[in-house]
Amino acid sequence: MVAPVARPHALREDRAWTLLQEVKDPEIPTVSVLELGLIRSVKQGPAAILVELMPTFLGCPAIEAMQQMIREQLAELGTIDVKLVTDEPWTTSRITEQGREKLRCSGFAPPPRGDSLELHVLQPHARCPYCDSSDTMLESSFGPTLCRAVHYCKACRSPFEQFKAI
Amino acid sequence: MIDEKLVPLLMALADDELVLGYRDSEWTGIAPLLEEDVALSSMAQDEIGHARMFYEMVSGILDKSPDSIALGREPSGFHHCRLVERPRGDWAYSMARQFLYDAADGVRLEMLTRSTHKPLALGVAKVIREEKYHRMHGESWIGKLAHGTDESHRRLEAALLQLWPDLPGFFEPVEGEAELVKAGVLPEPFSALLPRWWQVVEPVLARHGLHGPNLGLNAFSDHSGYGGREGRHSEDFVKLWNEMTLVYGVDPEAVW
């Protein structure tokens, strides 16, 4: 029988991933940074655990708050270094199925699927998170935060927000 | 290629976004519609976020903090083009500038995805995804103002004519450009982007009846609007600089 390959850091890294599930987006506190696909990697280094955080938008003011929250949440594991990733764009396709469902339950339409570099993906008839109608219109691509657009549902006459495709 | 040689290019990219971001933010609270107040504030935040990414890259080369790079300089140390430092003007002026700048920035970013300097090529891929919302916004306002009322049309035309002489300055070479081109950091000189910019802008202007002898490549005189990339700016920028560095200047060492 072959012995399993020793991964001395695996336990600590696994623990970090578990703890990260409790770090929520400060602007949408029902959804975790994992469900939004914001964590690229977690690695135990010689002196610290390195967490790679992918910003949704580069100007997102929640970035620093999230770095701080991650350091605090993972404090039991020692020094935590939260590095921002800029060599790979975060895109809305990184949001997990569970994340999409939680967004919907919080009153946000999940982002449209597909490559957001295609223009038709950006102006969809978003499905209303309240009544599920597609009879909706995009009111403004710019909402209360950089990652949200404002729509209006003509069926139930409710304004709602959608996570922007990026 | 020595990293220091990249600094003038990175600073030009960062300063364009920082200064335009500041100009956008001047609409916060006073834009003509609530949605536009939010839009301009969001775009300002985006632009300053993009500037921060480029300043971080400079920070890695010069070993200075991004804040001190961004704000700890005299006006002559800034390398943005003059186009972005002009006062916000009326709504038509700001929208027309946003549209013309975003088109220019779009072709520049596309070129930079082909840079041999990988962090830059990969970083701009992220910026491109965000900027498309700005482009859609600007284009839609060109249409709204062109077909709105006589006054909106007149104001838009006046804005475009006023902006025109500043536009070539966007394509002014940065310091050390020839060497950057040779190394492939810049896949092409900036001047090569001008016709591509026009390919983006021309159909939009034509579609909205904004075509005229004074709005075209031929209307540009040589080196018009130049100076910004060398740190020569207008009085408009000195006033803006006083404002944007005011808080930083009170205590550059303050921890926030």
Side-chain angles (χ1 to χ4, degrees), chain A residues 49-128:
Chain A
I49 289 187
L50 178 68
V51 178
E52 287 190 308
L53 175 68
M54 303 178 85
T56 53
F57 280 71
L58 289 164
C60 174
I63 290 173
E64 277 155 31
M66 281 194 279
Q67 287 177 297
Q68 180 65 25
M69 287 158 72
I70 291 170
R71 278 194 294 268
E72 283 169 14
Q73 184 69 21
L74 272 55
E76 66 174 73
L77 295 169
T79 309
I80 310 297
D81 190 6
V82 187
K83 192 175 162 281
L84 285 185
V85 174
T86 54
D87 61 4
E88 179 187 353
W90 178 85
T91 74
T92 25
S93 58
R94 290 186 58 92
I95 301 177
T96 65
E97 283 306 313
Q98 202 176 14
R100 294 175 67 89
E101 193 48 40
K102 283 194 183 173
L103 283 172
R104 200 184 338 264
C105 294
S106 316
F108 297 102
R113 297 182 196 267
D115 187 347
S116 66
L117 287 176
E118 303 287 331
L119 213 60
H120 69 271
V121 172
L122 302 180
Q123 293 175 309
H125 287 280
R127 198 170 278 276
C128 173

Coordinates of all heavy atoms in Angstrom, one line a residue, chain A residues 49-128:
Chain A
I49 N 0.6 32.7 6.2 CA -0.3 32.1 5.2 C -0.6 33.2 4.2 O -1.0 34.3 4.6 CB -1.6 31.6 5.9 CG1 -1.3 30.4 6.7 CG2 -2.7 31.3 4.8 CD1 -2.5 29.7 7.3
L50 N -0.4 32.9 2.9 CA -0.7 33.8 1.9 C -2.1 33.6 1.3 O -2.3 32.5 0.8 CB 0.4 33.7 0.8 CG 0.2 34.6 -0.4 CD1 0.5 36.1 0.0 CD2 1.2 34.2 -1.5
V51 N -2.9 34.6 1.3 CA -4.3 34.5 0.8 C -4.3 35.4 -0.4 O -4.0 36.6 -0.3 CB -5.4 34.9 1.8 CG1 -6.7 34.8 1.1 CG2 -5.3 34.0 3.0
E52 N -4.7 34.9 -1.6 CA -4.8 35.8 -2.8 C -6.3 36.2 -3.0 O -7.1 35.3 -3.2 CB -4.3 35.0 -4.0 CG -2.8 34.9 -4.0 CD -2.3 34.4 -5.4 OE1 -2.8 33.3 -5.8 OE2 -1.4 35.0 -6.0
L53 N -6.5 37.5 -2.9 CA -7.8 38.0 -3.0 C -8.0 38.7 -4.3 O -7.2 39.6 -4.7 CB -8.1 39.0 -1.8 CG -9.4 39.8 -1.8 CD1 -10.6 38.9 -1.5 CD2 -9.3 40.9 -0.7
M54 N -9.1 38.4 -5.0 CA -9.3 39.0 -6.3 C -10.4 40.1 -6.2 O -11.5 39.8 -5.8 CB -9.8 38.0 -7.4 CG -8.9 36.8 -7.5 SD -9.5 35.5 -8.6 CE -9.0 36.2 -10.2
P55 N -10.0 41.4 -6.5 CA -11.0 42.4 -6.4 C -12.1 42.3 -7.4 O -11.8 42.0 -8.6 CB -10.2 43.7 -6.5 CG -8.9 43.3 -7.1 CD -8.7 41.8 -7.0
T56 N -13.3 42.6 -7.1 CA -14.4 42.6 -8.1 C -14.1 43.7 -9.0 O -13.9 43.5 -10.2 CB -15.8 42.8 -7.4 OG1 -15.7 44.0 -6.6 CG2 -16.2 41.6 -6.6
F57 N -14.1 45.0 -8.5 CA -13.7 46.1 -9.3 C -12.5 46.7 -8.6 O -12.4 46.7 -7.4 CB -14.9 47.2 -9.3 CG -16.0 46.9 -10.3 CD1 -16.8 45.8 -10.0 CD2 -16.1 47.6 -11.4 CE1 -17.8 45.5 -10.9 CE2 -17.1 47.4 -12.3 CZ -18.0 46.3 -12.1
L58 N -11.6 47.3 -9.4 CA -10.3 47.8 -8.8 C -10.5 48.9 -7.9 O -9.8 49.1 -6.9 CB -9.4 48.2 -10.0 CG -8.8 47.1 -10.8 CD1 -8.2 47.6 -12.1 CD2 -7.7 46.3 -10.0
G59 N -11.6 49.7 -8.1 CA -11.9 50.8 -7.2 C -12.8 50.5 -6.0 O -13.3 51.4 -5.4
C60 N -13.1 49.2 -5.8 CA -14.0 48.8 -4.8 C -13.5 49.2 -3.4 O -12.4 48.8 -3.0 CB -14.2 47.3 -4.8 SG -15.2 46.7 -3.4
P61 N -14.3 50.0 -2.7 CA -13.8 50.5 -1.4 C -13.9 49.5 -0.3 O -13.4 49.7 0.8 CB -14.7 51.7 -1.1 CG -16.0 51.4 -1.9 CD -15.6 50.6 -3.0
A62 N -14.5 48.3 -0.6 CA -14.6 47.3 0.4 C -13.3 46.4 0.4 O -13.2 45.5 1.3 CB -15.8 46.4 0.1
I63 N -12.4 46.6 -0.5 CA -11.2 45.8 -0.6 C -10.4 45.7 0.7 O -10.1 44.7 1.3 CB -10.3 46.2 -1.7 CG1 -10.9 45.9 -3.1 CG2 -8.9 45.5 -1.7 CD1 -10.2 46.5 -4.3
E64 N -10.2 46.9 1.2 CA -9.3 47.0 2.5 C -10.1 46.4 3.6 O -9.5 45.7 4.5 CB -8.9 48.4 2.7 CG -7.7 48.8 1.9 CD -7.5 50.2 1.6 OE1 -7.9 51.1 2.5 OE2 -6.9 50.6 0.6
A65 N -11.4 46.6 3.7 CA -12.2 46.0 4.8 C -12.1 44.5 4.7 O -12.0 43.8 5.7 CB -13.6 46.5 4.7
M66 N -12.2 44.0 3.5 CA -12.1 42.5 3.3 C -10.8 42.0 3.7 O -10.7 40.9 4.3 CB -12.5 42.1 1.9 CG -14.0 42.2 1.6 SD -14.5 41.3 0.1 CE -14.1 42.6 -1.1
Q67 N -9.7 42.7 3.3 CA -8.4 42.2 3.7 C -8.3 42.1 5.3 O -7.8 41.2 5.8 CB -7.3 43.2 3.2 CG -7.1 43.1 1.7 CD -6.1 44.1 1.2 OE1 -6.3 45.3 1.3 NE2 -5.0 43.6 0.6
Q68 N -8.8 43.2 5.9 CA -8.8 43.2 7.3 C -9.6 42.1 8.0 O -9.2 41.4 8.9 CB -9.3 44.6 7.8 CG -9.4 44.8 9.3 CD -8.0 44.8 9.9 OE1 -7.0 45.1 9.2 NE2 -7.9 44.5 11.2
M69 N -10.8 41.9 7.4 CA -11.7 40.8 7.9 C -11.0 39.5 7.7 O -11.2 38.6 8.6 CB -13.0 40.9 7.2 CG -13.9 42.0 7.6 SD -15.2 42.4 6.3 CE -16.3 41.1 6.5
I70 N -10.4 39.3 6.6 CA -9.7 38.0 6.4 C -8.6 37.8 7.4 O -8.5 36.7 8.0 CB -9.2 37.9 5.0 CG1 -10.3 37.8 4.0 CG2 -8.2 36.7 4.8 CD1 -10.0 37.9 2.5
R71 N -7.8 38.8 7.7 CA -6.7 38.7 8.7 C -7.3 38.4 10.0 O -6.7 37.5 10.7 CB -5.9 40.0 8.7 CG -4.9 40.1 7.6 CD -3.9 41.2 7.9 NE -4.5 42.5 7.8 CZ -4.6 43.3 6.8 NH1 -4.0 42.9 5.6 NH2 -5.2 44.5 6.8
E72 N -8.4 39.0 10.4 CA -8.9 38.8 11.7 C -9.5 37.4 11.8 O -9.3 36.6 12.8 CB -10.0 39.8 12.0 CG -9.4 41.1 12.4 CD -10.4 42.3 12.5 OE1 -11.6 42.0 12.5 OE2 -10.0 43.4 12.5
Q73 N -10.3 37.0 10.8 CA -10.9 35.7 10.8 C -9.9 34.5 10.9 O -10.2 33.5 11.5 CB -11.8 35.5 9.6 CG -12.7 34.3 9.5 CD -13.8 34.3 10.5 OE1 -14.1 35.3 11.1 NE2 -14.2 33.1 10.9
L74 N -8.8 34.7 10.2 CA -7.8 33.6 10.2 C -6.7 33.8 11.2 O -5.7 33.1 11.2 CB -7.1 33.6 8.8 CG -7.8 32.7 7.7 CD1 -9.3 33.1 7.5 CD2 -7.1 32.8 6.4
A75 N -6.9 34.7 12.2 CA -5.8 35.0 13.1 C -5.3 33.8 13.9 O -4.1 33.8 14.2 CB -6.4 36.1 14.1
E76 N -6.2 32.9 14.1 CA -5.7 31.7 14.9 C -4.6 30.9 14.2 O -3.9 30.1 14.8 CB -6.9 30.7 15.1 CG -7.4 30.1 13.9 CD -8.5 29.1 14.1 OE1 -9.6 29.4 14.5 OE2 -8.2 27.9 13.9
L77 N -4.4 31.2 12.9 CA -3.4 30.5 12.1 C -2.1 31.2 12.0 O -1.2 30.9 11.2 CB -4.0 30.2 10.7 CG -5.2 29.2 10.6 CD1 -5.8 29.2 9.3 CD2 -4.7 27.8 11.1
G78 N -2.0 32.3 12.7 CA -0.8 33.1 12.7 C -0.8 34.3 11.8 O -1.9 34.9 11.6
T79 N 0.3 34.6 11.2 CA 0.4 35.8 10.4 C -0.3 35.5 9.0 O -0.1 34.5 8.4 CB 1.8 36.2 10.1 OG1 2.5 36.3 11.4 CG2 1.9 37.5 9.4
I80 N -1.2 36.4 8.6 CA -1.9 36.2 7.4 C -1.6 37.4 6.4 O -1.7 38.6 6.8 CB -3.4 36.3 7.6 CG1 -3.8 35.3 8.7 CG2 -4.2 36.0 6.3 CD1 -3.6 33.9 8.5
D81 N -1.1 37.0 5.3 CA -0.8 38.0 4.3 C -1.8 38.0 3.2 O -2.0 37.0 2.5 CB 0.6 37.7 3.7 CG 1.2 38.8 2.9 OD1 0.5 39.9 2.8 OD2 2.3 38.6 2.3
V82 N -2.6 39.1 3.0 CA -3.7 39.1 2.0 C -3.2 39.9 0.8 O -3.1 41.1 0.9 CB -5.0 39.6 2.5 CG1 -6.1 39.4 1.5 CG2 -5.4 38.9 3.8
K83 N -2.9 39.2 -0.3 CA -2.4 39.9 -1.5 C -3.5 40.1 -2.5 O -4.3 39.2 -2.7 CB -1.3 39.0 -2.0 CG -0.4 39.7 -3.1 CD 0.7 38.7 -3.5 CE 1.4 39.1 -4.8 NZ 0.6 38.7 -6.0
L84 N -3.5 41.3 -3.1 CA -4.5 41.5 -4.2 C -4.0 41.0 -5.5 O -2.9 41.3 -5.9 CB -4.7 43.0 -4.3 CG -5.6 43.7 -3.2 CD1 -5.8 45.1 -3.5 CD2 -6.9 43.0 -3.0
V85 N -4.9 40.3 -6.2 CA -4.5 39.8 -7.5 C -4.9 40.8 -8.6 O -6.0 41.2 -8.7 CB -5.3 38.5 -7.7 CG1 -5.1 37.9 -9.2 CG2 -5.0 37.4 -6.7
T86 N -3.9 41.2 -9.4 CA -4.3 42.0 -10.6 C -3.8 41.4 -11.9 O -3.9 42.0 -12.9 CB -3.7 43.4 -10.5 OG1 -2.2 43.3 -10.3 CG2 -4.3 44.2 -9.3
D87 N -3.2 40.2 -11.8 CA -2.7 39.5 -13.0 C -3.8 38.6 -13.6 O -3.5 37.9 -14.6 CB -1.4 38.8 -12.8 CG -1.5 37.7 -11.8 OD1 -2.6 37.4 -11.3 OD2 -0.4 37.1 -11.5
E88 N -4.9 38.6 -13.0 CA -6.0 37.7 -13.6 C -7.3 38.4 -13.2 O -7.6 38.7 -12.1 CB -6.0 36.3 -13.0 CG -7.1 35.4 -13.5 CD -7.1 34.1 -12.7 OE1 -6.3 33.8 -11.9 OE2 -8.1 33.4 -13.0
P89 N -8.1 38.8 -14.2 CA -9.4 39.5 -13.8 C -10.4 38.6 -13.1 O -10.6 37.4 -13.6 CB -9.9 40.0 -15.2 CG -9.2 39.2 -16.2 CD -8.0 38.6 -15.7
W90 N -10.9 39.1 -12.1 CA -12.1 38.4 -11.5 C -13.2 38.6 -12.5 O -13.4 39.7 -13.0 CB -12.4 39.0 -10.1 CG -13.7 38.4 -9.5 CD1 -13.7 37.3 -8.7 CD2 -15.0 38.9 -9.6 NE1 -15.0 37.0 -8.3 CE2 -15.8 38.0 -8.8 CE3 -15.6 40.0 -10.2 CZ2 -17.2 38.2 -8.7 CZ3 -17.0 40.1 -10.1 CH2 -17.8 39.2 -9.3
T91 N -14.0 37.6 -12.7 CA -15.2 37.8 -13.5 C -16.4 37.2 -12.8 O -16.2 36.4 -11.9 CB -15.1 37.1 -14.9 OG1 -15.3 35.7 -14.7 CG2 -13.8 37.4 -15.6
T92 N -17.6 37.6 -13.2 CA -18.8 37.2 -12.5 C -19.0 35.7 -12.7 O -19.8 35.1 -11.9 CB -20.0 38.0 -12.9 OG1 -19.8 38.5 -14.2 CG2 -20.3 39.1 -12.0
S93 N -18.3 35.1 -13.6 CA -18.5 33.6 -13.8 C -17.8 32.9 -12.6 O -18.0 31.7 -12.5 CB -17.9 33.2 -15.1 OG -16.5 33.5 -15.2
R94 N -17.0 33.6 -11.8 CA -16.4 32.9 -10.6 C -17.4 32.7 -9.5 O -17.1 32.0 -8.5 CB -15.2 33.7 -10.2 CG -14.0 33.6 -11.1 CD -12.8 34.3 -10.5 NE -12.4 33.7 -9.2 CZ -11.5 32.7 -9.1 NH1 -10.9 32.2 -10.1 NH2 -11.2 32.3 -7.9
I95 N -18.6 33.4 -9.5 CA -19.5 33.3 -8.5 C -20.1 31.8 -8.5 O -20.5 31.4 -9.6 CB -20.7 34.3 -8.6 CG1 -20.1 35.7 -8.6 CG2 -21.7 34.1 -7.5 CD1 -21.1 36.8 -8.8
T96 N -20.1 31.2 -7.4 CA -20.6 29.8 -7.3 C -22.1 29.7 -7.5 O -22.8 30.7 -7.3 CB -20.2 29.1 -6.0 OG1 -20.9 29.8 -4.9 CG2 -18.7 29.2 -5.7
E97 N -22.6 28.5 -7.7 CA -24.1 28.4 -7.8 C -24.8 28.7 -6.5 O -25.8 29.4 -6.5 CB -24.4 26.9 -8.2 CG -24.2 26.6 -9.7 CD -24.9 27.5 -10.6 OE1 -26.1 27.8 -10.4 OE2 -24.3 28.0 -11.6
Q98 N -24.1 28.3 -5.4 CA -24.6 28.7 -4.1 C -24.6 30.2 -3.9 O -25.6 30.8 -3.4 CB -23.8 28.0 -3.1 CG -24.5 27.9 -1.7 CD -23.6 27.1 -0.7 OE1 -22.4 26.9 -1.0 NE2 -24.2 26.6 0.3
G99 N -23.6 30.8 -4.4 CA -23.5 32.3 -4.3 C -24.6 33.0 -5.1 O -25.2 33.9 -4.7
R100 N -24.9 32.4 -6.3 CA -25.9 33.0 -7.1 C -27.3 32.9 -6.4 O -28.1 33.8 -6.4 CB -26.0 32.3 -8.5 CG -24.8 32.5 -9.4 CD -24.8 31.7 -10.7 NE -25.9 32.2 -11.5 CZ -25.8 33.1 -12.5 NH1 -24.6 33.7 -12.6 NH2 -26.8 33.5 -13.2
E101 N -27.5 31.7 -5.8 CA -28.8 31.5 -5.1 C -28.9 32.4 -3.9 O -30.0 33.0 -3.7 CB -28.8 30.0 -4.7 CG -30.2 29.6 -4.2 CD -31.3 29.9 -5.2 OE1 -31.1 29.9 -6.4 OE2 -32.4 30.4 -4.7
K102 N -27.8 32.6 -3.2 CA -27.9 33.5 -2.0 C -28.1 35.0 -2.5 O -28.8 35.7 -1.8 CB -26.6 33.4 -1.2 CG -26.5 32.2 -0.4 CD -25.4 32.3 0.7 CE -25.3 31.0 1.4 NZ -24.2 31.0 2.4
L103 N -27.5 35.4 -3.6 CA -27.8 36.7 -4.1 C -29.2 36.9 -4.4 O -29.9 37.9 -4.0 CB -27.0 36.9 -5.4 CG -25.5 37.2 -5.2 CD1 -24.8 37.2 -6.6 CD2 -25.2 38.6 -4.5
R104 N -29.8 35.9 -5.0 CA -31.2 36.0 -5.4 C -32.1 36.1 -4.1 O -33.0 36.9 -4.1 CB -31.6 34.7 -6.2 CG -32.9 34.9 -7.0 CD -33.3 33.6 -7.7 NE -32.3 32.6 -7.9 CZ -31.6 32.5 -9.0 NH1 -31.9 33.3 -10.1 NH2 -30.7 31.5 -9.1
C105 N -31.8 35.3 -3.1 CA -32.6 35.3 -1.9 C -32.4 36.6 -1.2 O -33.2 37.0 -0.4 CB -32.1 34.2 -1.0 SG -32.5 32.6 -1.6
S106 N -31.3 37.3 -1.4 CA -31.1 38.6 -0.8 C -31.7 39.8 -1.6 O -31.5 41.0 -1.3 CB -29.6 38.9 -0.5 OG -29.0 37.8 -0.1
G107 N -32.4 39.5 -2.7 CA -33.0 40.5 -3.5 C -32.2 41.1 -4.6 O -32.5 42.1 -5.1
F108 N -31.1 40.4 -4.9 CA -30.2 40.8 -6.0 C -30.4 39.8 -7.1 O -30.2 38.6 -6.9 CB -28.7 40.8 -5.6 CG -28.4 41.8 -4.5 CD1 -28.2 41.4 -3.2 CD2 -28.3 43.1 -4.8 CE1 -27.9 42.3 -2.2 CE2 -28.0 44.0 -3.8 CZ -27.8 43.6 -2.5
A109 N -30.6 40.2 -8.3 CA -30.5 39.3 -9.5 C -29.1 38.9 -9.7 O -28.2 39.8 -9.7 CB -31.1 39.9 -10.7
P110 N -28.8 37.6 -9.8 CA -27.4 37.2 -10.1 C -27.0 37.7 -11.5 O -27.8 38.1 -12.3 CB -27.5 35.7 -10.1 CG -28.9 35.3 -9.9 CD -29.7 36.5 -9.7
P111 N -25.7 37.8 -11.7 CA -25.3 38.4 -13.0 C -25.6 37.5 -14.1 O -25.8 36.3 -14.0 CB -23.7 38.4 -12.8 CG -23.4 37.4 -11.8 CD -24.6 37.4 -10.9
P112 N -25.8 38.0 -15.3 CA -26.1 37.2 -16.5 C -24.9 36.3 -16.7 O -23.8 36.6 -16.4 CB -26.3 38.2 -17.6 CG -25.7 39.5 -17.2 CD -25.7 39.5 -15.7
R113 N -25.2 35.1 -17.3 CA -24.1 34.2 -17.7 C -23.5 34.6 -19.0 O -24.2 35.2 -19.8 CB -24.6 32.8 -17.7 CG -25.2 32.3 -16.3 CD -25.6 30.8 -16.5 NE -26.5 30.5 -15.3 CZ -26.0 29.9 -14.2 NH1 -24.7 29.6 -14.1 NH2 -26.8 29.6 -13.3
G114 N -22.3 34.1 -19.2 CA -21.7 34.4 -20.5 C -20.6 35.3 -20.4 O -20.4 35.9 -19.3
D115 N -19.8 35.5 -21.4 CA -18.6 36.4 -21.4 C -19.0 37.8 -21.4 O -19.6 38.3 -22.4 CB -17.6 36.1 -22.5 CG -16.3 36.8 -22.4 OD1 -16.3 37.8 -21.5 OD2 -15.4 36.5 -23.1
S116 N -18.7 38.5 -20.4 CA -19.2 39.9 -20.3 C -18.4 40.8 -21.2 O -18.7 42.0 -21.3 CB -19.0 40.4 -18.8 OG -17.6 40.5 -18.5
L117 N -17.4 40.3 -22.0 CA -16.8 41.2 -23.0 C -17.8 41.3 -24.2 O -17.6 42.2 -25.0 CB -15.5 40.7 -23.4 CG -14.4 40.9 -22.4 CD1 -13.1 40.2 -22.8 CD2 -14.1 42.3 -22.1
E118 N -18.8 40.4 -24.3 CA -19.8 40.5 -25.3 C -20.8 41.5 -24.9 O -21.4 41.3 -23.8 CB -20.4 39.1 -25.5 CG -19.5 38.0 -25.9 CD -18.9 38.2 -27.3 OE1 -19.7 38.7 -28.1 OE2 -17.8 37.7 -27.5
L119 N -21.1 42.5 -25.7 CA -21.9 43.6 -25.3 C -23.3 43.2 -25.0 O -24.0 43.7 -24.0 CB -21.9 44.7 -26.4 CG -22.1 46.1 -25.9 CD1 -20.9 46.4 -25.0 CD2 -22.1 47.0 -27.0
H120 N -23.9 42.2 -25.7 CA -25.3 41.8 -25.5 C -25.5 41.2 -24.1 O -26.6 41.2 -23.5 CB -25.8 40.8 -26.5 CG -25.2 39.4 -26.4 ND1 -24.0 39.1 -27.0 CD2 -25.5 38.3 -25.7 CE1 -23.7 37.9 -26.8 NE2 -24.6 37.4 -26.0
V121 N -24.4 40.7 -23.5 CA -24.5 40.2 -22.1 C -24.8 41.3 -21.1 O -25.3 41.1 -20.0 CB -23.2 39.4 -21.7 CG1 -23.2 39.0 -20.3 CG2 -23.1 38.2 -22.6
L122 N -24.4 42.5 -21.4 CA -24.4 43.6 -20.5 C -25.8 44.2 -20.3 O -26.1 44.9 -19.4 CB -23.4 44.7 -20.8 CG -22.0 44.3 -21.0 CD1 -21.1 45.5 -21.3 CD2 -21.5 43.7 -19.7
Q123 N -26.6 44.1 -21.3 CA -27.9 44.7 -21.3 C -29.1 43.7 -21.4 O -29.9 43.7 -22.3 CB -28.0 45.7 -22.4 CG -27.1 46.9 -22.3 CD -27.1 47.8 -23.5 OE1 -27.0 47.4 -24.6 NE2 -27.2 49.1 -23.2
P124 N -29.1 42.8 -20.4 CA -30.1 41.7 -20.5 C -31.4 42.2 -19.8 O -31.5 43.2 -19.2 CB -29.4 40.7 -19.5 CG -28.7 41.5 -18.5 CD -28.3 42.8 -19.2
H125 N -32.4 41.4 -20.1 CA -33.6 41.5 -19.3 C -33.4 40.7 -18.1 O -33.7 39.5 -18.1 CB -34.8 41.1 -20.1 CG -35.1 42.1 -21.2 ND1 -35.8 43.3 -20.9 CD2 -34.8 42.1 -22.5 CE1 -35.9 44.0 -22.0 NE2 -35.3 43.3 -23.0
A126 N -32.9 41.3 -17.0 CA -32.7 40.5 -15.8 C -34.0 39.9 -15.3 O -35.0 40.6 -15.4 CB -32.0 41.4 -14.8
R127 N -33.8 38.8 -14.7 CA -35.0 38.2 -14.1 C -35.3 38.8 -12.7 O -34.3 38.9 -11.9 CB -34.8 36.7 -13.9 CG -36.1 35.9 -13.7 CD -35.7 34.4 -13.9 NE -35.7 34.0 -15.3 CZ -36.8 33.6 -16.0 NH1 -38.0 33.6 -15.4 NH2 -36.7 33.2 -17.2
C128 N -36.5 39.3 -12.4 CA -36.8 39.9 -11.2 C -36.6 38.9 -10.0 O -37.2 37.9 -10.0 CB -38.2 40.5 -11.2 SG -38.7 41.1 -9.6

